[in-house]
């Protein structure tokens, strides 16, 4: 058995990507020359690094229960090892000694009671029998954890949770799985006027899926290949498509890529323009409502407003001191941006300085969103807080602290003044790596619902067009649909890969979800 540095580097790179550390993954990938390795990433399953580490832990635990003569004791270690414990020889030796002492005590007690002490099991190659038995019961990379005797216990726990929610589980007949991508699908978005679903992937393509037809198959996909010019020819960029957004009338799709280019496509899949001025990956991009400008944020610490008609950069804003992670328009000329530098800038086309700079987060700011009225700006951070800002004051209006891990993203409900649902109260949803989703009453600054069915980090949330439902997607492979009024789970679907993004179509009867195994799933909720 041999382990190469390329293999280790790739698994670490994939772990960083799957954990949401996209800019860290990019930096690590560049320094370790991931693109020059001959590893086919499409063949490596999600959570591969965690899976192999868990198997290593099981092997060490099995070693603890091996006698000096090679015989295997019929028992388990007193408690499960942590990853750090497993690499510390003194801890392993102490745990092995404690295990044998406990077994000896049990045998002595049995003798005292007149019971016959069972002889040790026959000799076997060290650790092979218990490790192999447990690993053979693993499914989809899930292995024994937290002291469980084997992975079947984990699967039983999942089945129990699904039984509790059996009446809300979405049947396979209402789920359409779209396959074609050859790597993780990081993002998806519905066309605002028709049932065209766009998706962006690590295979350096975006795709447009036609869900308008009564008979849906993978033949209805348009493949948007992201290429760069080399030697006078167009060659695949081999870089992730990180972001995409439809314009307001659904005629054009903009995509952002790790190759540093933004691109504009027609809804028929034709390339209409290439926007190149960023020096490094693009992390986010958005159309303004008017549809004449595109806004992008990059690892080069800048944001750019592009002329959507000419493809030229109208203005570049170099105000952040670290990679810019997200952007959002307040109106057709004013926007906010956030960064790993912990700052939020509000800028306007034509102004050479920020209109406002909000400071208060103590770690990188992952996402920002203006409310439908454009009066309040919400931000979420790795500092585990959610903050609400107003242009009328310097400090935040609300500092909402309830999550116990990083908050990955946020969404406002399409309700309240200035929306098509003016009589419903406005809410804010937050998704966190603590596996929960929270719904907030922003006016009062309180959490009104904590949604706790997910078992892994939650990467995405999306409100239905009427604001009555919230979809959430997690790396536990589940898409949950919640009632925003009661906080109850009303629909649930378990896919085949960790969920990166969820989104509703314009009529509110379909939810799209993109996954780590390359699949895109469409849930037909009300049909």
């Amino acid at each position: 058995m041999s382990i190469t540095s390329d293999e280790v580097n790739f698994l670490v790179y994939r772990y960083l990507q799957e954990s949401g550390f996209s800019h860290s993954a990019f930096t690590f990938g560049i320094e370790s020359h991931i693109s020059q390795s001959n590893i086919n990433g499409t063949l490596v399953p999600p959570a591969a690094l965690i899976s192999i580490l868990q198997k290593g832990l099981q092997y060490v635990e099995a070693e603890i229960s091996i006698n000096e003569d090679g015989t295997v004791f019929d028992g388990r270690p007193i408690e499960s090892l942590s990853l750090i414990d497993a690499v510390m020889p003194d801890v392993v030796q102490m745990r092995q000694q404690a295990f044998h002492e406990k077994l000896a005590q049990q045998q002595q007690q049995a003798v005292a009671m007149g019971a016959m002490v069972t002889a040790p099991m026959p000799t076997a190659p060290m650790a092979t029998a218990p490790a192999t038995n447990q690993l053979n019961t693993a499914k989809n990379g899930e292995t024994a954890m937290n002291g469980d005797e084997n992975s079947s216990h984990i699967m039983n726990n999942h089945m129990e949770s699904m039984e509790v929610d059996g009446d809300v589980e979405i049947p396979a007949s209402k789920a359409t799985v779209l396959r074609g991508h050859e790597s993780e699908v990081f993002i998806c978005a519905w066309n605002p006027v028709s049932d065209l679903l766009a998706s962006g992937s690590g295979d350096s393509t975006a795709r447009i899926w036609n869900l308008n037809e009564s008979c849906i198959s993978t033949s209805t996909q348009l493949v948007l290949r992201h290429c760069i010019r080399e030697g006078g020819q167009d060659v695949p960029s081999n870089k992730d498509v990180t972001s995409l957004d439809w314009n307001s009338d659904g005629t054009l799709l903009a995509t952002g890529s790790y190759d540093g280019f933004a691109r504009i496509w027609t809804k028929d899949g034709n390339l209409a323009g290439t926007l190149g001025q960023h020096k490094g990956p693009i992390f986010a991009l958005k159309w303004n409502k008017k549809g004449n400008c595109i806004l992008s944020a990059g690892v080069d610490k800048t944001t750019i407003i592009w002329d959507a008609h000419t493809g030229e950069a109208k203005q570049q804003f170099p105000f952040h001191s670290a990679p810019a992670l997200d952007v959002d328009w307040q109106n057709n000329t004013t926007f906010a941006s956030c960064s790993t530098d912990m700052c939020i800038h509000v800028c306007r086309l034509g102004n050479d300085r920020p209109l406002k700079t909000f400071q208060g987060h103590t770690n990188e700011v992952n996402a920002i969103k203006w409310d439908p009225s454009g009066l309040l700006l919400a931000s979420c951070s790795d500092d585990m807080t959610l903050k609400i800002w107003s242009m009328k004051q310097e400090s935040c209006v609300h500092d909402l602290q309830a999550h116990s891990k990083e908050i990955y993203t946020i969404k406002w409900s399409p309700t309240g003044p200035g929306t098509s649902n003016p009589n419903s109260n406005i809410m804010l949803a937050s998704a966190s790596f603590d596996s929960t989703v929270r719904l907030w009453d922003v006016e009062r600054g309180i959490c009104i619902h904590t949604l706790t069915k997910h078992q892994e980090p939650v990467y995405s949330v999306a409100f239905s067009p009427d604001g009555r439902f919230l979809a959430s997607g997690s790396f536990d492979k589940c898409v949950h649909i919640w009632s925003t009024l009661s906080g109850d789970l009303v629909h649930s679907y378990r896919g085949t890969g960790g969920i990166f993004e969820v989104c509703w179509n314009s009529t509110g009867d379909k939810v799209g979800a993109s996954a780590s195994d390359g699949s895109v799933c469409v849930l037909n909720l009300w049909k």
Side-chain angles (χ1 to χ4, degrees), residues 444-467:
R444 293 186 292 166
I446 62 171
C447 178
I448 52 179
H449 294 301
T450 303
L451 314 178
T452 59
K453 293 291 185 182
H454 285 298
Q455 304 298 316
E456 297 288 343
V458 184
Y459 281 90
S460 180
V461 286
F463 284 94
S464 61
D466 60 8

Side-chain angles (χ1 to χ4, degrees), residues 101-123:
E101 289 176 353
K102 181 175 181 180
L103 186 62
Q105 291 175 0
Q106 291 173 345
Q107 291 174 336
Q108 292 172 0
Q109 291 171 358
V111 171
M113 295 174 62
M116 180 179 296
V117 179
T118 304
M121 293 173 59
T123 59

Side-chain angles (χ1 to χ4, degrees), residues 418-429:
T419 72
S420 56
N421 309 292
N423 298 322
S424 300
N425 292 331
I426 192 168
M427 291 173 288
L428 185 67

Side-chain angles (χ1 to χ4, degrees), residues 454 457-461 471-476 478-480 499-500 502:
H454 285 298
V458 184
Y459 281 90
S460 180
V461 286
S472 60
S474 163
F475 226 64
D476 62 6
C478 291
V479 176
H480 292 326
I499 307 298
F500 282 119
V502 292

